[in-house]
Amino acid sequence: MDIWTAEKIIILGFLLKGVCCRDFSISLPQNIQALSGSCVIIKCRFEIEEKHDKNLVPKRAATGLWLKDGDKMKDHLVFHSTDPKPNHFNGKITGKLHEKNCTTVFYNVSSKHTGRYYFRIESGDLKYIYTVNTSTINVIDSPPKPTVQLYVEQKEVLEGSSVSLRCSAETLCSSPPPTLTWSSTPRIPLSESSRLEELISDLNFTATHRQHRVTFTCTITYQLQDENKTAQDSITLHVQYAPKISPSSSCTRTDVTVCFCEADGNPSPELEWYLSGRPVTNSSNTFISEERLSSTGLRSSITLHQSLTHTSILQCVSNNTHGNASQQFQLPLSGLQYADCQQATVSLLIILTLILVLFALTVGLALYKIRQLSSKLKAQNEAAGTYASLQLSAPPSEYETLNIKRGIIFGTYLCKNFCIFFLESKG
């Protein structure tokens, strides 16, 4: 029940009581918290005997007084609405006394305001102090903490779902009014909607696995004259999500092949290994071990004998109740395989070099023969004139043509034999 609803019930009670008979009575909050350096409001309504109604009318100036820690005017008066004194509290009656509303605000609250308060009404012949019901003010140095909770009650939040966090706070008198702000660790983008008149702030976002165990904090801030005073409350989010395999998962090779796989998920996932599509267990050729990294993280390693790494496909599979993830590994070559590969590469380079050299020699020999033939024909042309021209257009002799063909065939033969040698070495 909020303050306004309670006030309406009190008013209704006064009206019903007035139908029968009226007596002196007052309605006050029994306990009030006030923030040091701010203000404090005492919500107050009173009733008088019917015979005094003529004294409490708009044309008469009524006076409200507050006494603290006693009902003696001389020793305990701390507030007078029409005749304030230097040692009185700074404040005013915000309610209308002729309407029997004695709501009062005190400013610049300090520890001296802590105590029990009595109200007195004066108007004409009406002078009465209410001693049956009183209000106690307790001055605090720090504001009350706000309350943070999941708006829809959930123990766990699933990744991808919408989340609403609600922050609500009890308001104390202050000017300007207090404000609510959100923060999180680590920092993430937030979408916020506020209803400051009720001091309620809702935080809305879509949950991701990165927000698992993230703490969201709501802070209430009072802007006072000398300083700002704050209080806060926090909630840690628990997000459930399918497994995710770390990109750092890999394999290394020495005398044996060792691969490791790291997975993270909530609930904590399981890890399994597969060789060529078949599950792997501990045996003479394989050894598997697991290590718990955190409440959501798991690391598994597998050691493989050399005989299993030639043609097998290795796969790591992680799963929990929300899904699964997998990663395939490229197994590294053994030392012997790597040496064979290097030797084959060197042999290939040597063979390619020899082929190019032989090809160059063959082409060079052919060019040499052509140049020799051209020189011979030129000499004949200078000696014989027209006859030399005819000889130049004639084809080379069978012997010269045969020599060129032999050079090309010899080069081809050498290339063929080197290729056969290379293929046999690979086999």
Side-chain angles (χ1 to χ4, degrees):
M1 184 184 300
D2 58 33
I3 295 173
W4 299 111
T5 304
E7 192 173 46
K8 291 176 183 177
I9 293 173
I10 291 169
I11 295 172
L12 181 60
F14 276 123
L15 292 174
L16 292 174
K17 185 177 179 181
V19 173
C20 303
C21 58
R22 284 193 283 117
D23 196 358
F24 287 102
S25 61
I26 191 168
S27 171
L28 294 169
Q30 188 175 1
N31 293 287
I32 304 173
Q33 279 193 329
L35 182 62
S36 177
S38 186
C39 53
V40 61
I41 297 175
I42 305 175
K43 292 191 175 295
C44 174
R45 296 196 69 89
F46 65 93
E47 190 54 82
I48 60 175
E49 290 179 347
E50 188 174 356
K51 66 180 181 180
H52 290 292
D53 284 349
K54 62 180 183 295
N55 294 306
L56 199 63
V57 292
K59 63 181 181 180
R60 284 182 178 270
T63 301
L65 303 92
W66 287 97
L67 293 83
K68 176 176 172 287
D69 297 329
D71 57 2
K72 306 302 181 184
M73 287 283 291
K74 182 179 178 181
D75 300 322
H76 302 286
L77 182 65
V78 293
F79 176 83
H80 195 294
S81 63
T82 57
D83 186 20
K85 297 293 189 282
N87 62 332
H88 287 179
F89 291 162
N90 181 20
K92 68 176 181 179
I93 294 179
T94 58
K96 297 179 180 179
L97 292 175
H98 67 272
E99 294 179 357
K100 303 171 185 176
N101 186 337
C102 49
T103 298
T104 304
V105 57
F106 293 142
Y107 304 110
N108 303 321
V109 171
S110 65
S111 58
K112 67 181 181 181
H113 286 77
T114 297
R116 186 177 181 184
Y117 287 78
Y118 301 77
F119 180 71
R120 178 183 173 88
I121 182 69
E122 294 182 358
S123 183
D125 295 333
L126 172 61
K127 292 178 175 60
Y128 187 83
I129 183 169
Y130 295 86
T131 58
V132 176
N133 288 333
T134 60
S135 189
T136 299
I137 295 177
N138 179 36
V139 178
I140 56 178
D141 290 327
S142 299
K145 289 173 55 177
T147 300
V148 177
Q149 58 187 353
L150 279 168
Y151 187 49
V152 178
E153 288 297 333
Q154 297 170 276
K155 293 289 184 181
E156 301 283 348
V157 175
L158 186 63
E159 182 176 32
S161 64
S162 297
V163 177
S164 292
L165 301 179
R166 169 158 289 189
C167 178
S168 56
E170 176 187 352
T171 59
L172 301 180
C173 175
S174 72
S175 181
T179 58
L180 294 175
T181 55
W182 286 94
S183 63
S184 65
T185 52
R187 298 287 298 178
I188 59 172
L190 304 175
S191 173
E192 179 185 350
S193 62
S194 300
R195 285 182 282 165
L196 295 180
E197 67 276 7
E198 300 178 24
L199 223 59
I200 291 176
S201 180
D202 293 333
L203 187 63
N204 307 297
F205 56 93
T206 300
T208 70
H209 67 280
R210 293 183 180 86
Q211 290 157 358
H212 179 59
R213 293 191 177 278
V214 169
T215 298
F216 295 86
T217 302
C218 177
T219 302
I220 184 170
T221 303
Y222 286 84
Q223 298 180 19
L224 307 180
Q225 291 182 352
D226 298 332
E227 61 176 326
N228 287 350
K229 292 191 175 183
T230 63
Q232 55 187 212
D233 189 30
S234 301
I235 188 171
T236 300
L237 201 63
H238 295 274
V239 181
Q240 292 197 345
Y241 52 96
K244 304 178 190 302
I245 293 180
S246 170
S248 64
S249 301
S250 61
C251 295
T252 57
R253 180 71 186 244
T254 53
D255 295 334
V256 293
T257 298
V258 179
C259 300
F260 76 90
C261 182
E262 289 185 8
D264 182 76
N266 189 27
S268 181
E270 296 179 351
L271 282 173
E272 296 178 311
W273 293 96
Y274 290 84
L275 268 173
S276 300
R278 295 182 178 180
V280 183
T281 58
N282 283 317
S283 67
S284 58
N285 290 327
T286 59
F287 175 73
I288 300 172
S289 64
E290 287 187 350
E291 176 188 0
R292 179 68 59 189
L293 301 177
S294 65
S295 60
T296 59
L298 181 66
R299 174 189 173 111
S300 178
S301 64
I302 184 170
T303 303
L304 299 173
H305 189 269
Q306 181 180 339
S307 61
L308 298 174
T309 62
H310 293 291
T311 58
S312 298
I313 298 174
L314 182 64
Q315 189 178 34
C316 168
V317 178
S318 176
N319 61 81
N320 66 8
T321 55
H322 297 299
N324 58 70
S326 65
Q327 179 168 323
Q328 188 167 308
F329 292 87
Q330 182 67 42
L331 296 176
L333 296 171
S334 67
L336 181 61
Q337 289 173 319
Y338 183 72
D340 291 344
C341 181
Q342 278 191 319
Q343 185 177 1
T345 302
V346 172
S347 300
L348 178 60
L349 289 174
I350 292 173
I351 291 171
L352 290 176
T353 302
L354 289 174
I355 290 173
L356 289 174
V357 170
L358 290 173
F359 180 76
L361 289 174
T362 304
V363 173
L365 180 62
L367 291 174
Y368 172 75
K369 290 294 183 180
I370 292 172
R371 181 179 294 178
Q372 191 179 43
L373 178 62
S374 177
S375 298
K376 184 177 179 181
L377 290 175
K378 185 177 181 181
Q380 291 176 355
N381 185 40
E382 290 176 352
T386 304
Y387 177 77
S389 298
L390 293 173
Q391 287 295 321
L392 181 64
S393 62
S397 66
E398 291 183 4
Y399 175 78
E400 292 166 338
T401 303
L402 181 61
N403 284 338
I404 294 172
K405 288 182 178 180
R406 283 177 178 175
I408 294 172
I409 291 170
F410 178 70
T412 305
Y413 171 78
L414 289 176
C415 289
K416 177 180 178 182
N417 279 278
F418 274 114
C419 290
I420 292 171
F421 168 75
F422 171 72
L423 293 174
E424 288 178 349
S425 65
K426 289 291 289 180

